[in-house]
Amino acid sequence: MGRRSLRNIAAGLDLSSWLLGEDELPEPFTVEALFGRTAPLEIEVGTGKGLFLQHATSQFPDHDFLGVEIAGKYARFAAAKLASQECGNGKIVRGDALRLFHEVLPDQCAMAVHVYFPDPWWKKRHRKRRVMRIGFIQDVQRVLIDGGTLHFWTDVEEYFRATLQLIHKSTALDESVVPEPSSPEHDFDYRTHFERRMRFHNATIYRAQFQKRVAK
Ligand SMILES: C[S@@+](CC[C@H](N)C(=O)[O-])C[C@H]1O[C@@H](n2cnc3c(N)ncnc32)[C@H](O)[C@@H]1O
């Protein structure tokens, strides 16, 4: 993320219903135990400042949203947004999405997984730190329900092409058409903060989505 400092969180804002540590997730994990109801679950990996969750939770009140963010200050910031809108269908877990997907999330628990602008790790020797790697993508496939969707957006063409290749070669996820993004109606009418930043700079954004094949 950019290093610009984050706005202060209102003093006294209680985040306890919105910000969880990895060890505070229900064991075994169920959507019902986490949100107190049975609803389709969507998971965002690398929540950043939380714009996606802020909009998606109010746009789709019948879905539950879990954001996963490894950086404590961003996890708190995004949770504070949910807390101040008294959001009943969104929570943030502060932790490593790779571990969460591999060790905690059960098969077929999510209808969608969203990965927007994951850290590119530009240097060749750092690329092994990327989130979109084979093991993670296979975990995403396992965690998605049949027909569930993986959304992946990035501004890094090489990362995009490499990820598409991995997905085509080693999963049963089928690429589907991404709807054309609409023109923003207000200053924060973007999927995420990074999308907003990239569009302000007229950068190319590579978007893909995949459906998990329905088992026969
Ligand atoms: C470039 S930012 C994009 C944030 C947001 N998705 C957006 O589009 O505005 C990537 C985010 O992913 C988080 N992140 C990186 N690796 C992660 C991991 N293994 N698990 C969870 N979050 C991670 C970073 O801390 C950072 O907030």
Side-chain angles (χ1 to χ4, degrees):
M1 294 286 290
R3 295 293 124 208
R4 213 172 302 160
S5 61
L6 296 172
R7 259 182 297 114
N8 286 337
I9 293 172
L13 187 64
D14 179 7
L15 302 185
S16 57
S17 299
W18 291 276
L19 181 63
L20 308 171
E22 285 183 358
D23 55 353
E24 290 174 286
L25 287 169
E27 261 182 75
F29 179 96
T30 64
V31 183
E32 294 74 16
L34 189 57
F35 287 95
R37 66 172 185 173
T38 307
L41 177 67
E42 304 200 31
I43 304 171
E44 187 192 15
V45 171
T47 303
K49 295 187 199 168
L51 189 61
F52 170 72
L53 289 180
Q54 186 188 351
H55 289 163
T57 49
S58 53
Q59 210 181 341
F60 301 102
D62 297 337
H63 293 187
D64 290 332
F65 291 85
L66 181 64
V68 193
E69 173 53 58
I70 203 164
K73 66 176 182 177
Y74 289 113
R76 280 178 59 77
F77 188 83
K81 277 192 184 155
L82 298 179
S84 52
Q85 67 191 36
E86 295 186 7
C87 172
N89 62 331
K91 292 181 192 291
I92 312 280
V93 55
R94 185 205 162 169
D96 180 1
L98 298 177
R99 199 187 81 71
L100 191 84
F101 272 74
H102 200 60
E103 296 176 19
V104 178
L105 297 174
D107 295 2
Q108 309 237 7
C109 67
M111 67 159 289
V113 174
H114 303 261
V115 187
Y116 299 121
F117 303 93
D119 293 325
W121 295 108
W122 293 103
K123 291 187 181 156
K124 227 174 184 167
R125 68 175 189 279
H126 290 158
R127 287 194 188 154
K128 55 180 180 294
R129 299 182 191 173
R130 286 177 171 177
V131 166
M132 297 303 266
R133 61 180 80 172
I134 183 70
F136 175 70
I137 291 167
Q138 285 172 341
D139 282 331
V140 168
Q141 170 172 266
R142 180 184 61 73
V143 160
L144 283 173
I145 59 170
D146 289 352
T149 309
L150 166 64
H151 302 262
F152 168 51
W153 295 13
T154 177
D155 57 312
V156 182
E157 183 174 8
E158 175 276 323
Y159 193 2
F160 184 72
R161 307 248 168 259
T163 302
L164 259 58
Q165 238 184 22
L166 266 186
I167 292 177
H168 289 311
K169 248 182 28 198
S170 45
T171 68
L173 297 169
D174 296 320
E175 197 168 353
S176 58
V177 176
V178 181
E180 271 303 302
S182 49
S183 301
E185 286 178 11
H186 55 79
D187 197 30
F188 281 91
D189 190 13
Y190 296 94
R191 185 72 63 104
T192 71
H193 277 94
F194 261 68
E195 189 206 8
R196 179 173 183 265
R197 186 191 290 184
M198 294 309 155
R199 285 176 69 171
F200 279 179
H201 288 95
N202 286 321
T204 304
I205 296 172
Y206 302 91
R207 299 175 172 86
Q209 69 187 45
F210 303 86
Q211 250 69 49
K212 179 169 166 177
R213 232 165 272 160
V214 176
K216 292 195 179 130

